[in-house]
Amino acid sequence: MRRVDVGERGTIAVTAAGEVRTFSPDGSELATIATEGAVVDLAVFDADGVVVTTGWRSRSACGEAMDLAALAAFALDGGAPRWQAYGDLAEADLCGDHHDLRAGTRGVAVARGEDGLLYLLAEVEGAGNVFRERPGARGVPARNVAFDSFTVGDDAQPALFAYYARFTPAGEHQVGQYFLFPDDGSLVEPRAIAADVAGNIHITGVTSHSLGAAHDVAVTEELHALSGFYQVVDGDFGGRREWRQLELDGLTTDVSAFALAGDRAVSVLDSAPRRGHAETAPPGGPLVIVLPLEPGSLEGKKRPEREGVGTFGYESGVAGSDPACYCDAGRTPTPLTLLALTTFVLACLPRPRRRA
């Protein structure tokens, strides 16, 4: 896995082959840092003099093999980690007579938000996971916020779901949240995370179900194929500002790249024919999508909430099949059409997909 990030003052960090290398803005090498386990992403904080990495370590606890998410910060000039979270837990912290935190977890992405704070995105395989506790404080519950049935990670039985959290660059966990579908066996595969200057959290990934709301109850519907999604969560983790289900007829879709760039969000939506539909599906390939983030464009219109009702928060355009949503889904786009998901704009035409 190879990743690169550039800090706010131009420091460069690259991870590959089990190490992180840092460079000054003029290209001079600063350090080579050995890392443990799988490192899949990194973020540079020039003002704090650190590069933060995430991934996972393969461990054994109480006789059971598991993947354990890892988050660590290193000085830009090298040395031992300044701080670590999750990946360095002892066996006694993971399981015992009265606790069990051995559900698989893997760090997927880490980012320096435009607000200067650190954001972690991870995938989770079960309710008994390390994100339930505050890093470095055994037995102390983490401040994890839930605002609807899709953000409660206690009782549902999805096959895979997401966790995201805000930290200070010094490693203090401030707030976190799960994102899942309550349906047994459902999938949320997180891909990328970013945060704007207001601290709103932007998340992409792939899901097996749609997200919507119908009058009095939260509703999900299993999709015909895995589909990419994009959502924006309030800076206080208290509501969902935006939800986009990125479906294409006859195709699976995946958000393969994502970035915030000032007043817009840019993503690459990859697509391929669904299994068994190669002959009838439209041609697959990458789409570059630009979402302008104009002032007020993400304020949304909140639904009236009845007491005890789990809705998904704010109205948004959705390319999906839930009839109760305000959707722009009368005609599902294909890779050769203009991808019109309300404010989404198609920025380039697809190229033929290279196959190994």
Side-chain angles (χ1 to χ4, degrees):
M1 184 68 67
R2 181 175 299 169
R3 290 288 187 269
V4 62
D5 190 51
V6 180
E8 64 271 30
R9 299 174 186 169
T11 302
I12 304 162
V14 180
T15 179
E19 63 184 22
V20 172
R21 301 177 67 185
T22 57
F23 302 85
S24 66
D26 65 5
S28 302
E29 185 166 357
L30 299 174
T32 299
I33 305 165
T35 58
E36 293 185 48
V39 174
V40 299
D41 203 11
L42 76 175
V44 177
F45 290 78
D46 272 328
D48 301 275
V50 297
V51 54
V52 180
T53 65
T54 194
W56 64 88
R57 298 177 186 175
S58 296
R59 296 278 300 275
S60 178
C62 298
E64 183 175 314
M66 60 178 292
D67 288 336
L68 183 62
L71 186 67
F74 300 87
L76 294 174
D77 58 0
R82 284 194 179 178
W83 57 264
Q84 298 185 69
Y86 309 119
D88 61 335
L89 289 173
E91 183 176 30
D93 297 322
L94 296 170
C95 54
D97 293 337
H98 304 292
H99 69 288
D100 188 349
L101 302 178
R102 290 177 295 170
T105 55
R106 288 170 288 275
V108 171
V110 69
R112 184 188 73 253
E114 294 181 356
D115 57 359
L117 295 172
L118 168 65
Y119 291 85
L120 168 70
L121 180 65
E123 61 182 30
V124 185
E125 293 181 346
N129 60 78
V130 293
F131 301 126
R132 297 174 64 90
E133 296 188 354
R134 186 188 307 169
R138 180 179 173 181
V140 178
R143 184 178 172 235
N144 292 328
V145 176
F147 61 83
D148 63 9
S149 61
F150 306 109
T151 53
V152 178
D154 292 337
D155 301 322
Q157 298 294 323
L160 191 71
F161 55 105
Y163 179 79
Y164 45 92
R166 177 189 292 136
F167 292 75
T168 68
E172 177 189 354
H173 180 279
Q174 293 189 332
V175 60
Q177 191 164 82
Y178 295 101
F179 174 58
L180 54 88
F181 289 94
D183 309 72
D184 288 357
S186 62
L187 291 172
V188 173
E189 298 181 9
R191 292 288 187 262
I193 190 168
D196 58 36
V197 293
N200 300 315
I201 304 97
H202 301 244
I203 302 163
T204 67
V206 176
T207 180
S208 62
H209 285 64
S210 67
L211 182 151
H215 299 99
D216 292 338
V217 295
V219 173
T220 66
E221 181 178 355
E222 189 168 5
L223 302 171
H224 294 297
L226 290 176
S227 170
F229 72 85
Y230 165 72
Q231 75 165 330
V232 183
V233 175
D234 285 331
D236 64 359
F237 287 57
R240 185 172 295 106
R241 286 176 171 260
E242 190 86 2
W243 170 263
R244 307 281 176 176
Q245 192 83 55
L246 307 179
E247 292 184 271
L248 297 174
D249 275 346
L251 300 172
T252 62
T253 60
D254 192 348
V255 182
S256 58
F258 177 79
L260 284 184
D263 63 349
R264 64 195 60 211
V266 182
S267 63
V268 177
L269 183 69
D270 204 3
S271 62
R274 288 166 47 195
R275 183 177 300 178
H277 293 75
E279 295 182 357
T280 59
L287 298 168
V288 177
I289 303 170
V290 178
L291 173 63
L293 304 178
E294 298 177 358
S297 65
L298 294 182
E299 290 180 0
K301 177 183 177 183
K302 194 168 185 179
R303 299 176 189 268
E305 292 185 5
R306 298 176 175 85
E307 184 177 355
V309 174
T311 71
F312 76 94
Y314 294 82
E315 306 290 6
S316 61
V318 182
S321 56
D322 177 26
C325 296
Y326 288 82
C327 302
D328 187 17
R331 196 172 49 174
T332 306
T334 70
L336 298 181
T337 66
L338 180 66
L339 186 59
L341 302 174
T342 310
T343 55
F344 278 107
V345 178
L346 180 62
C348 73
L349 291 175
R351 299 185 300 271
R353 197 177 186 195
R354 298 181 100 182
R355 302 185 182 273

